[in-house]
Short mmCIF file of all heavy atoms in Angstrom, two decimals:
data_model
loop_
_atom_site.label_atom_id
_atom_site.label_comp_id
_atom_site.label_asym_id
_atom_site.label_seq_id
_atom_site.Cartn_x
_atom_site.Cartn_y
_atom_site.Cartn_z
N VAL A 154 -20.76 40.65 -3.72
CA VAL A 154 -21.96 41.08 -3.37
C VAL A 154 -23.15 40.08 -3.74
O VAL A 154 -22.76 39.12 -4.51
CB VAL A 154 -22.33 42.46 -4.03
CG1 VAL A 154 -21.42 43.56 -3.43
CG2 VAL A 154 -22.15 42.41 -5.48
N GLU A 155 -24.35 40.34 -3.34
CA GLU A 155 -25.38 39.32 -3.59
C GLU A 155 -25.66 38.90 -5.10
O GLU A 155 -25.81 37.93 -5.44
CB GLU A 155 -26.66 39.96 -2.90
CG GLU A 155 -27.85 39.06 -3.17
CD GLU A 155 -29.18 39.52 -2.52
OE1 GLU A 155 -29.09 39.78 -1.38
OE2 GLU A 155 -30.19 39.71 -3.26
N SER A 156 -25.60 39.98 -5.90
CA SER A 156 -25.90 39.83 -7.33
C SER A 156 -24.83 38.79 -7.99
O SER A 156 -25.12 37.95 -8.78
CB SER A 156 -25.89 41.07 -8.11
OG SER A 156 -24.65 41.76 -7.97
N LYS A 157 -23.60 39.03 -7.49
CA LYS A 157 -22.57 38.03 -7.93
C LYS A 157 -22.74 36.57 -7.47
O LYS A 157 -22.53 35.62 -8.09
CB LYS A 157 -21.19 38.60 -7.57
CG LYS A 157 -20.80 39.88 -8.09
CD LYS A 157 -20.48 39.94 -9.52
CE LYS A 157 -19.92 41.31 -10.08
NZ LYS A 157 -19.68 41.32 -11.32
N ILE A 158 -23.10 36.48 -6.19
CA ILE A 158 -23.32 35.14 -5.57
C ILE A 158 -24.42 34.50 -6.26
O ILE A 158 -24.50 33.30 -6.52
CB ILE A 158 -23.58 35.33 -4.07
CG1 ILE A 158 -22.35 35.69 -3.33
CG2 ILE A 158 -24.07 34.04 -3.49
CD1 ILE A 158 -22.42 36.04 -1.86
N ASP A 159 -25.60 35.31 -6.61
CA ASP A 159 -26.73 34.75 -7.14
C ASP A 159 -26.42 34.25 -8.55
O ASP A 159 -26.94 33.16 -9.05
CB ASP A 159 -27.85 35.82 -7.29
CG ASP A 159 -29.27 35.22 -7.37
OD1 ASP A 159 -29.34 33.96 -7.49
OD2 ASP A 159 -30.15 36.02 -7.35
N ALA A 160 -25.48 34.99 -9.33
CA ALA A 160 -25.27 34.60 -10.62
C ALA A 160 -24.42 33.28 -10.65
O ALA A 160 -24.60 32.49 -11.54
CB ALA A 160 -24.33 35.72 -11.35
N VAL A 161 -23.50 33.13 -9.78
CA VAL A 161 -22.59 32.00 -9.80
C VAL A 161 -23.42 30.69 -9.27
O VAL A 161 -23.12 29.64 -9.72
CB VAL A 161 -21.35 32.22 -8.99
CG1 VAL A 161 -20.45 33.30 -9.63
CG2 VAL A 161 -21.59 32.55 -7.60
N LEU A 162 -24.26 30.90 -8.43
CA LEU A 162 -25.07 29.81 -7.86
C LEU A 162 -26.00 29.26 -8.96
O LEU A 162 -26.29 28.03 -8.88
CB LEU A 162 -25.93 30.25 -6.65
CG LEU A 162 -25.07 30.37 -5.34
CD1 LEU A 162 -26.00 30.95 -4.27
CD2 LEU A 162 -24.45 29.12 -4.97
N ASP A 163 -26.46 30.13 -9.87
CA ASP A 163 -27.38 29.66 -10.95
C ASP A 163 -26.56 28.52 -11.87
O ASP A 163 -27.24 27.91 -12.61
CB ASP A 163 -27.75 30.86 -11.84
CG ASP A 163 -28.91 31.56 -11.19
OD1 ASP A 163 -29.49 30.90 -10.06
OD2 ASP A 163 -29.20 32.67 -11.50
N GLU A 164 -25.20 28.56 -11.76
CA GLU A 164 -24.63 27.67 -12.59
C GLU A 164 -24.54 26.22 -12.11
O GLU A 164 -24.26 25.28 -12.77
CB GLU A 164 -23.08 28.08 -12.79
CG GLU A 164 -22.97 29.52 -13.39
CD GLU A 164 -21.36 29.94 -13.34
OE1 GLU A 164 -20.55 29.13 -13.08
OE2 GLU A 164 -21.12 31.22 -13.65
N ILE A 165 -25.00 26.12 -10.83
CA ILE A 165 -25.17 24.73 -10.17
C ILE A 165 -26.44 24.07 -10.46
O ILE A 165 -27.47 24.79 -10.08
CB ILE A 165 -24.72 24.75 -8.76
CG1 ILE A 165 -23.58 25.40 -8.44
CG2 ILE A 165 -24.84 23.35 -8.09
CD1 ILE A 165 -23.21 25.59 -6.96
N GLU A 166 -26.49 22.94 -11.13
CA GLU A 166 -27.72 22.37 -11.48
C GLU A 166 -28.43 21.63 -10.40
O GLU A 166 -29.72 21.80 -10.23
CB GLU A 166 -27.51 21.39 -12.73
CG GLU A 166 -26.96 22.09 -14.02
CD GLU A 166 -26.87 21.03 -15.08
OE1 GLU A 166 -27.05 19.92 -14.85
OE2 GLU A 166 -26.37 21.50 -16.22
N LYS A 167 -27.76 20.99 -9.64
CA LYS A 167 -28.50 20.19 -8.58
C LYS A 167 -28.81 21.02 -7.39
O LYS A 167 -27.97 21.74 -6.86
CB LYS A 167 -27.29 18.99 -8.04
CG LYS A 167 -27.16 17.99 -9.07
CD LYS A 167 -26.30 16.82 -8.55
CE LYS A 167 -26.06 15.70 -9.53
NZ LYS A 167 -25.24 14.68 -8.97
N VAL A 168 -30.18 20.84 -6.82
CA VAL A 168 -30.68 21.60 -5.90
C VAL A 168 -29.91 21.53 -4.52
O VAL A 168 -29.53 22.46 -3.81
CB VAL A 168 -32.11 21.28 -5.63
CG1 VAL A 168 -32.65 22.11 -4.52
CG2 VAL A 168 -32.84 21.67 -6.97
N GLY A 169 -29.55 20.17 -4.25
CA GLY A 169 -28.76 19.99 -2.92
C GLY A 169 -27.40 20.49 -3.02
O GLY A 169 -26.99 21.20 -1.89
N VAL A 170 -26.71 20.41 -3.98
CA VAL A 170 -25.34 20.91 -4.21
C VAL A 170 -25.34 22.42 -4.14
O VAL A 170 -24.53 23.10 -3.34
CB VAL A 170 -24.70 20.53 -5.53
CG1 VAL A 170 -23.20 21.17 -5.61
CG2 VAL A 170 -24.55 19.04 -5.42
N ARG A 171 -26.41 23.02 -4.77
CA ARG A 171 -26.54 24.55 -4.67
C ARG A 171 -26.81 24.97 -3.33
O ARG A 171 -26.23 26.11 -2.83
CB ARG A 171 -27.65 25.00 -5.63
CG ARG A 171 -27.66 26.51 -5.77
CD ARG A 171 -28.99 26.97 -6.62
NE ARG A 171 -28.87 26.22 -7.94
CZ ARG A 171 -29.90 25.54 -8.32
NH1 ARG A 171 -30.96 25.14 -7.53
NH2 ARG A 171 -29.86 24.89 -9.58
N TYR A 172 -27.58 24.30 -2.60
CA TYR A 172 -27.91 24.70 -1.13
C TYR A 172 -26.67 24.59 -0.31
O TYR A 172 -26.46 25.42 0.51
CB TYR A 172 -29.06 23.87 -0.66
CG TYR A 172 -29.41 24.17 0.76
CD1 TYR A 172 -30.24 25.16 1.11
CD2 TYR A 172 -29.01 23.42 1.87
CE1 TYR A 172 -30.68 25.43 2.46
CE2 TYR A 172 -29.26 23.62 3.11
CZ TYR A 172 -30.16 24.70 3.48
OH TYR A 172 -30.44 25.01 4.79
#
Side-chain angles (χ1 to χ4, degrees):
V154 293
E155 180 181 302
S156 59
K157 299 288 187 180
I158 294 176
D159 206 352
V161 295
L162 287 175
D163 283 342
E164 299 175 10
I165 304 177
E166 296 181 359
K167 293 185 178 180
V168 176
V170 177
R171 188 185 304 118
Y172 178 82

